[in-house]
Amino acid sequence: MNELIGRVFSFEKTVFPDSRELFGKLVSEGQSPKALMISCADSRIVPEQIMQAEPGELFVCRNAGNMVPPFATMNGGVTSTVEYAVMALGVRDIIVCGHSDCGAMKALSAPELPEGMPNVVAWLRHGAAAEHVVSSCSPNLHGDERVRAVSLQNVIAQLAHLRTHPSVAAAIARGEMALHGWFVDISAGMVLGLDGETGEFSPLREDKPLPVALPARRRSVIDNWTAEAAE
């Protein structure tokens, strides 16, 4: 711990002076982050490092298992963060980011949920759909393969939960919001992205189009339904 505390002095002496102008601008003009990333609280995953983001560029919400509880009237940290990011900060891209060797996903994949941690067990229920999909569709997977499959499905499940939030649903309908599902393979140093059209995860590459779970595109469901009804 003393080593970590010591780095605060390094920030004050070396990092801050080199970025004094940037921090001053962020104070005087406020923040305008380009994206919201909902990632796992795992200490091995650092969203700003993965995105190579400068201060002010990325709004981050971290929790065990990168969960997004479905919208409810009960207040919660993730719900409030999503709502603020979309409605107050005008964020137009949200990334749900899972990762390999995730402790939460290991617990979710295990035959029995952990004992003595009732809050953890309750929290993991937000990933129940991911575990059920893998158990139902790929019952032969075991060990690391099962954990990885549940982790990938969990990203998909949390994106579905995210769409139940009114602020996100409205932004999607207006064509102002894109959703992204990412998976960080820690040992390979690779980021996979979900292609919403194919349902497949593929590596993010500079020479290829970015896989997007849900592109920003105005939805006209009501107009189409009205036109079809009229016919």
Side-chain angles (χ1 to χ4, degrees), residues 127-137:
E131 189 280 329
H132 185 69
V133 167
V134 174
S135 293
S136 300
C137 301

Side-chain angles (χ1 to χ4, degrees), residues 95-180:
I95 305 162
V96 174
C97 184
H99 67 94
S100 60
D101 197 43
C102 179
M105 296 300 102
K106 287 181 179 179
L108 190 61
S109 304
E112 297 181 2
L113 291 172
E115 295 183 2
M117 292 186 283
N119 288 295
V120 171
V121 171
W123 184 251
L124 289 176
R125 291 195 184 103
H126 296 305
E131 189 280 329
H132 185 69
V133 167
V134 174
S135 293
S136 300
C137 301
S138 303
N140 295 325
L141 292 180
H142 301 283
D144 292 342
E145 287 187 341
R146 174 173 164 79
V147 173
R148 185 181 180 91
V150 171
S151 300
L152 293 171
Q153 285 298 323
N154 186 59
V155 171
I156 297 173
Q158 303 316 314
L159 286 170
H161 292 172
L162 187 59
R163 296 184 66 173
T164 68
H165 291 241
S167 59
V168 175
I172 290 174
R174 293 192 299 267
E176 298 174 355
M177 176 68 66
L179 302 183
H180 309 264

Side-chain angles (χ1 to χ4, degrees), residues 203-225:
L204 272 59
R205 292 289 180 261
E206 287 184 308
D207 59 345
K208 295 182 179 180
L210 178 71
V212 180
L214 183 71
R217 184 169 57 244
R218 185 177 179 84
R219 269 61 179 172
S220 54
V221 176
I222 295 178
D223 292 339
N224 289 341
W225 181 86

